[in-house]
Amino acid sequence: MARAGLTAERLTQAAAELADEVGFENVTVSALARRFGVKDASLYSHIRNAHDLRVRLAVLALAELADRVSSELAGRSGKDALVAFANAYRSYAHEHPGRYAATQMALDPDTAALSAAGKHAEMTRAVLRGYDLWEPDQTDAVRLLHSTFHGYVSLERAGAFHSHPRGVEASWTRALDALDSLLRSWPS
Amino acid sequence: MARAGLTAERLTQAAAELADEVGFENVTVSALARRFGVKDASLYSHIRNAHDLRVRLAVLALAELADRVSSELAGRSGKDALVAFANAYRSYAHEHPGRYAATQMALDPDTAALSAAGKHAEMTRAVLRGYDLWEPDQTDAVRLLHSTFHGYVSLERAGAFHSHPRGVEASWTRALDALDSLLRSWPS
DNA sequence: CTAGGCTTCCTAGAGGTCCTAGGCAAATAA
DNA sequence: TTATTTGCCTAGGACCTCTAGGAAGCCTAG
């Protein structure tokens, strides 16, 4: 019987595609095995368990997102950089809802440290170099930006903004204007 | 054999307690049945299915949260109201992590309309009466505030802020200062 | 080239969750 | 008291997770 050629990497990649198709919460070992035409038990030589699979997926998505943000950020500064960062973040979430959901998993500290999570914080700090902010305000601003981006995207995806006719796109643009204005005159 | 006296309301209430103890994602029909010393199948006379149970829990949590915010908001305006709103929101999320996670469920439009979701938007608008904002800026600001609060709380709970020594409490206070300042000089 | 050894994938099976169908007994109404 | 409704039961199917142990593919050394 021909082998399917499974590896942890291929499984993780397929899990990512699966997540975007059926939702992160529906990424199961069984569904993944089905996709490879293989029995469930076969996957356990490559991944420890279902949780391990989801963690690998989260790490993959964090790295992808960091890459996208990083390349959008290159050569920009100030409000330009802020907008590029925010839009890269949001477009990734829209194009890859399952992967994005994965990035919101609670990772244990060791895994988080090894993941691209640190790169995200570093890039946010890079955006802030275009504004006149120093510690501890810089950390506060990093947290505020991250919160706002994540909050907006996740509420948007949950449908929380559908109840009002005002365009979601327009509110987003205004939010970025507001954040830029806020960063330029950060209260002391 | 004595009856357990199940009703949809008692089940929902127990599900809420269960959610806070073991996490929203672990609220299962089986676990709930166990808690009442009853077989799984018995619950299906009261709830349609597992999804229905989670929706009921979400609706309950939304109502509780709206009540708390509402009572904290009474008699306050301006920044006072903003801070009270934000803290009520955040403290509910901390005290009731499982219930809070439930409020983030995607509800279908009909259910959402019947729930307290509308009251939340209305209360946020009430906070904004202390600032000089009119449509469509008001809606944009509602969305920004909601995003920031939700984003902050959910990243905080996911442990995203643990990697840096700066106090989470201090950053929160500064975020509220920043939002107040932003609302007072909303860019046009 | 062929014989061991490792790896990959298999079968078998236990245990958990979700849910339906159909039955008996408790509570309530006539 | 009898009839009806309702609440909880047993039984069982479908799906998911995961372990143990077996066999067949692949690799390397003699």
Side-chain angles (χ1 to χ4, degrees), chain A residues 77-93:
Chain A
S77 68
K79 185 176 179 184
D80 235 34
L82 178 71
V83 170
F85 186 115
N87 283 331
Y89 192 93
R90 179 162 173 254
S91 70
Y92 185 81

Side-chain angles (χ1 to χ4, degrees), chain B residues 38-143:
Chain B
V38 141
K39 299 294 169 187
D40 298 10
S42 307
L43 303 198
Y44 289 89
S45 330
H46 307 279
I47 55 168
R48 272 218 310 282
N49 50 41
H51 181 254
D52 177 46
L53 173 66
R54 297 193 184 102
V55 169
R56 284 169 189 272
L57 172 48
V59 169
L60 170 76
L62 281 168
E64 279 186 6
L65 178 54
D67 276 358
R68 173 179 298 208
V69 169
S70 165
S71 76
E72 287 297 317
L73 223 48
R76 298 183 204 269
S77 68
K79 185 177 179 183
D80 234 34
L82 178 70
V83 170
F85 185 115
N87 284 330
Y89 193 94
R90 181 163 172 254
S91 70
Y92 183 82
H94 285 178
E95 289 165 31
H96 299 293
R99 286 160 153 102
Y100 181 73
T103 67
Q104 297 310 315
M105 258 192 81
L107 298 178
D108 69 288
D110 291 352
T111 313
L114 291 173
S115 77
K119 189 172 178 187
H120 286 263
E122 185 196 312
M123 289 188 300
T124 315
R125 285 200 148 69
V127 168
L128 292 180
R129 274 201 283 279
Y131 300 89
D132 202 26
L133 281 176
W134 308 102
E135 289 299 2
D137 298 284
Q138 201 179 71
T139 295
D140 295 339
V142 166
R143 289 172 175 174

Side-chain angles (χ1 to χ4, degrees), chain A residues 89 104-107 121 125 135-137 139-140 142-144 146-148 150-155 157-172 174-175 177-179 181-182 185-188, chain B residues 89 104-107 121 125 135-137 139-140 142-144 146-148 150-155 157-172 174-175 177-179 181-182 185-188:
Chain A
Y89 192 93
Q104 297 310 314
M105 259 191 80
L107 298 178
R125 285 199 148 72
E135 290 296 1
D137 296 286
T139 294
D140 295 340
V142 166
R143 289 172 175 174
L144 179 61
H146 194 175
S147 296
T148 307
H150 167 56
Y152 198 95
V153 167
S154 96
L155 292 175
R157 287 214 55 80
F161 297 156
H162 292 356
S163 55
H164 195 280
R166 169 72 169 167
V168 174
E169 213 61 42
S171 286
W172 172 252
R174 295 289 279 142
D177 290 345
L179 287 173
S181 149
L182 174 60
S185 59
W186 186 263
S188 52
Chain B
Y89 193 94
Q104 297 310 315
M105 258 192 81
L107 298 178
R125 285 200 148 69
E135 289 299 2
D137 298 284
T139 295
D140 295 339
V142 166
R143 289 172 175 174
L144 179 61
H146 194 177
S147 296
T148 307
H150 167 56
Y152 198 95
V153 167
S154 95
L155 291 176
R157 288 215 54 80
F161 297 157
H162 292 358
S163 54
H164 195 279
R166 168 73 168 165
V168 174
E169 213 62 41
S171 286
W172 172 252
R174 295 288 280 141
D177 290 345
L179 288 174
S181 148
L182 175 61
S185 59
W186 186 263
S188 51

